[in-house]
């Protein structure tokens, strides 16, 4: 099974929303855009663009998802995940019901509140969020 995930990042933070795990459990926070696909996504990123387009009413940016990493979840090994980053200039460029920006440190400190995928991705997402924060800071003065 292949899973495409798109993580919105802005100002060194990651955007998360509640996802219900099951009717008997509380919601865990995770990134808002995810899709299971049967075949491996093509390198050109068309599947990620299509996934972003599905959520266009929540996202107000011309930025496109950028491929970050392909990995297997340590706990299961059954799923191949394709993680994309969606860099945002302003936090107001995205809005999902109950969504909010968090720091990577919050994921590590309160890992029980976050989905397993996000826990595994937190260090990488933290680096990507900081990289894009620095990039936009450098380009805003140009």
């Amino acid at each position: 099974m292949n899973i495409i995930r798109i993580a919105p990042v802005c100002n060194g933070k990651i955007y998360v929303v509640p996802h219900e795990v099951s009717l008997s459990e509380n919601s865990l926070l995770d990134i808002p855009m995810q899709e299971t696909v049967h075949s491996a996504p093509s390198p050109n990123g068309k599947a990620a663009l299509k996934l972003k387009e599905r959520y266009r009413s929540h996202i107000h940016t011309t930025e496109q998802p950028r491929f970050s990493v392909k990995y297997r979840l340590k706990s299961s090994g059954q799923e191949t995940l394709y993680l994309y980053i969606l860099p945002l200039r302003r936090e107001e460029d995205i809005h999902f019901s109950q969504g909010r920006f968090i720091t990577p440190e919050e994921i590590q400190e309160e890992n029980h509140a976050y989905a397993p995928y996000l826990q595994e991705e937190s260090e990488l997402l933290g680096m990507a969020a900081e990289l894009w924060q620095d990039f936009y800071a450098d380009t805003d003065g140009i």
Side-chain angles (χ1 to χ4, degrees):
M1 182 170 25
N2 299 293
I3 299 172
I4 298 171
R5 292 171 51 81
I6 302 176
V9 297
C10 186
N11 296 327
K13 297 181 268 184
I14 305 155
Y15 193 76
V16 296
V17 297
H19 284 283
E20 284 191 31
V21 179
S22 72
L23 296 175
S24 62
E25 296 182 36
N26 292 332
S27 295
L28 294 176
L29 295 172
D30 198 3
I31 59 177
M33 294 174 276
Q34 177 176 307
E35 177 179 54
T36 301
V37 293
H38 296 289
S39 60
S42 65
N44 64 14
K46 283 185 180 180
L49 291 171
K50 193 170 145 181
L51 179 57
K52 179 194 171 216
E53 181 64 20
R54 184 175 325 138
Y55 294 98
R56 71 177 172 265
S57 64
H58 301 280
I59 305 166
H60 308 288
T61 183
T62 57
E63 293 288 350
Q64 299 302 319
R66 286 152 167 93
F67 179 73
S68 180
V69 68
K70 170 185 166 182
Y71 73 97
R72 289 189 184 268
L73 192 61
K74 289 177 187 172
S75 62
S76 76
Q78 300 292 335
E79 302 151 328
T80 302
L81 289 96
Y82 295 81
L83 180 64
Y84 289 78
I85 304 297
L86 179 62
L88 303 170
R89 285 188 179 268
R90 302 172 310 132
E91 291 184 9
E92 296 79 25
D93 289 341
I94 191 166
H95 178 74
F96 283 79
S97 178
Q98 300 180 4
R100 63 185 172 103
F101 282 94
I102 59 164
T103 65
E105 293 79 23
E106 288 177 77
I107 299 169
Q108 294 165 357
E109 292 168 5
E110 303 173 33
N111 63 359
H112 64 279
Y114 298 96
Y117 295 155
L118 188 57
Q119 291 176 33
E120 188 138 343
E121 298 161 346
S122 66
E123 188 175 330
L124 174 68
L125 288 174
M127 289 187 290
E130 283 187 34
L131 179 106
W132 281 103
Q133 180 181 18
D134 293 345
F135 174 79
Y136 283 138
D138 290 344
T139 59
D140 285 342
I142 296 175

